[in-house]
Amino acid sequence: MSGPGRHLNRVLEVWRHTTTPDGAGGQTTLLVQQDSVRAKVDQPSASERLVAAQTGSRHSHDVYLRPAANVKRGDELRGTDGLGQAQAFRVLSVVQPSRPVYSKALVELIQSEGA
């Protein structure tokens, strides 16, 4: 693969909270898989970690995506790391540079019970 996408070395599933009628006049909210996206997962820089700590953010990783990736605040991104271990991230925000060559999702690693 050539171009900027060659560095997107992982595939992550995009899961989104979706509300549907429950048939009894109420609603049910479920996590529903929306799509899969190519991504690169990195640790934030030292300055980003400092800002996150000062503001009380839970930002633990940066996820780089193609600019048109359908990823929104509140989504979960699920996949495996380089060792084949399952990982899930909660999207805190999504930003693009002034020239949209990529999107960057600021995420929090969701640790499973006992991890």
Side-chain angles (χ1 to χ4, degrees):
M1 181 185 313
S2 62
R6 74 180 176 277
H7 299 294
L8 304 178
N9 57 4
R10 292 173 63 177
V11 175
L12 298 175
E13 299 171 347
V14 179
W15 292 74
R16 186 168 294 147
H17 291 276
T18 304
T19 304
T20 57
D22 66 5
Q27 296 179 333
T28 301
T29 301
L30 302 169
L31 270 174
V32 177
Q33 185 177 354
Q34 301 294 306
D35 202 356
S36 292
V37 294
R38 304 267 327 152
K40 180 176 187 284
V41 178
D42 279 342
Q43 296 286 326
S45 69
S47 60
E48 287 174 320
R49 286 192 302 267
L50 178 62
V51 169
Q54 290 173 339
T55 61
S57 173
R58 299 174 313 267
H59 173 206
S60 65
H61 290 77
D62 294 329
V63 177
Y64 294 90
L65 308 154
R66 290 191 169 115
N70 184 14
V71 174
K72 300 177 181 181
R73 182 177 184 262
D75 287 350
E76 282 189 16
L77 303 177
R78 299 178 184 176
T80 56
D81 65 12
L83 301 174
Q85 300 295 313
Q87 287 185 315
F89 302 95
R90 181 174 300 109
V91 178
L92 303 173
S93 65
V94 179
V95 297
Q96 284 187 338
S98 57
R99 199 180 81 171
V101 293
Y102 64 87
S103 290
K104 179 178 171 182
L106 309 179
V107 302
E108 170 190 21
L109 178 64
I110 303 169
Q111 294 189 346
S112 59
E113 295 276 331

